[in-house]
């Protein structure tokens, strides 16, 4: 497969998954903002979204104040923000357009109609019934695109690059969503009376509320939430589940220069597979997730180097 084709497939899936996960992150922040709290605490929650996406400077250039409306406008419909939902779905569609001959007609039609529907509406129209409905729309469209991919694509190299991009992006974003809760905790570490509702919102944001109840059959406990989203091998959005899929697809795509990237992916997978939540929390969840995100970024660079970036021609 041409590296250019692989690049478009990889990034098509990453942008679609990124849009879904950003919608989930914004949704959990919106739900947490409904809990009684000070204005300062609410704005800190919204600023955490900006920080976790490394957009502090870009946001500051456009807005002088951090509040719900400014952050939502910036992350939902700002075409100048490369990480906004608008930009992610546009880039997903553009990458799909570049490889229309490789993906199925159903995939293209689903991606294209999603983008056209989004482009036709203003921010005010998108959020007219509350941002929650719009975030649900994004999650539904992403699930539809993923379902069409799984149901119509030949499971060859093209499919492997799509799955690789999806799982790598999902692992990074699950870590980011989980980190939001700890990012805004007070240094004294005392959970407020609203903690139950915040953890419930977090679980629902990754479609894991029912899964948690089925797995633990108990009240929501922060340690168990972290364990579910990091170490549960059967949870589709856990870090362990995603890394297992990343390793599997890297093995199927392996070439002569991808050995080191596969080794690093396998090492990270094994560390998570045999980890204990007690040890992770003792080290510090924020520190653990930050290190994980750094290593996911490193894997992304390795994949680009090994498969996606054409070799420099010798003059």
């Amino acid at each position: 497969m041409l590296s250019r084709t692989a690049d478009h497939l990889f990034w098509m899936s990453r942008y679609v998954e990124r849009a879904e996960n950003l919608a989930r992150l914004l949704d959990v922040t919106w739900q947490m903002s409904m809990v009684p709290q000070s204005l300062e605490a609410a704005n800190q929650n919204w600023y955490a979204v900006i920080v976790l996406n490394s957009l502090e400077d870009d946001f500051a250039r456009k807005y002088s104040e951090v509040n719900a409306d400014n952050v939502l406008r910036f992350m939902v419909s700002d075409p100048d923000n490369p990480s906004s939902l608008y930009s992610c779905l546009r880039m997903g569609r553009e990458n799909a357009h570049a490889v229309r001959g490789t993906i199925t007609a159903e995939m293209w039609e689903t991606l294209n109609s999603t983008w056209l529907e989004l482009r036709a509406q203003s921010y005010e129209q998108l959020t007219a019934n509350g941002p929650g409905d719009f975030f649900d729309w994004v999650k539904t469209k992403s699930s539809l695109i993923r379902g069409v991919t799984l149901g119509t694509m030949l499971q060859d190299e093209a499919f492997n690059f799509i799955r690789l991009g999806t799982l790598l992006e999902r692992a990074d974003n699950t870590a980011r969503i989980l980190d939001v809760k700890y990012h805004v905790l007070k240094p004294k570490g005392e959970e407020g009376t609203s903690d139950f509702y915040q953890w419930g919102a977090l679980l629902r944001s990754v479609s894991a509320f029912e899964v948690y109840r089925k797995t633990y059959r108990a009240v929501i406990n922060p340690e168990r939430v972290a364990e579910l989203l990091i170490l549960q091998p059967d949870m589709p959005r856990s870090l362990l589940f995603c890394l297992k899929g990343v390793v599997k697809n890297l093995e199927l795509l392996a070439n002569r220069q991808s050995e080191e990237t596969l080794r690093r992916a396998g090492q990270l997978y094994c560390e998570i597979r045999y980890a204990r939540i007690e040890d992770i929390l003792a080290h510090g969840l924020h520190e653990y997730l930050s290190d994980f995100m750094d290593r996911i970024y490193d894997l992304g660079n390795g994949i680009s180097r090994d498969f996606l970036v054409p070799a420099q021609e010798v003059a």
Side-chain angles (χ1 to χ4, degrees), residues 228-266:
L228 181 72
L229 297 185
I230 296 173
L231 304 178
Q232 178 56 249
D234 301 323
M235 169 62 192
R237 294 189 174 275
S238 75
L239 305 189
L240 179 57
F241 182 95
C242 292
L243 260 294
K244 181 179 180 180
V246 167
V247 171
K248 176 183 176 181
N249 283 279
L250 278 175
E251 288 175 341
L252 293 170
L253 293 167
N255 59 29
R256 288 178 296 177
Q257 60 189 44
S258 65
E259 181 178 344
E260 176 60 18
T261 300
L262 178 57
R263 186 193 69 80
R264 294 186 182 187

Side-chain angles (χ1 to χ4, degrees), residues 141-203:
K141 287 294 186 179
S142 177
S143 296
L144 181 60
I145 293 166
R146 185 166 53 251
V148 169
T149 301
L150 293 172
T152 64
M153 277 285 291
L154 183 67
Q155 296 197 12
D156 56 3
E157 281 190 335
F159 180 83
N160 295 143
F161 276 114
I162 291 172
R163 289 299 294 161
L164 184 60
T166 295
L167 292 168
L168 197 71
E169 186 69 28
R170 184 180 297 173
D172 178 73
N173 280 280
T174 294
R176 289 177 186 272
I177 289 176
L178 182 57
D179 196 34
V180 164
K181 171 63 179 176
Y182 285 85
H183 184 81
V184 299
L185 279 180
K186 297 291 187 292
K188 57 186 177 183
E190 295 180 358
E191 306 289 342
T193 57
S194 63
D195 185 68
F196 172 85
Y197 301 101
Q198 293 187 8
W199 283 111
L202 174 61
L203 287 169

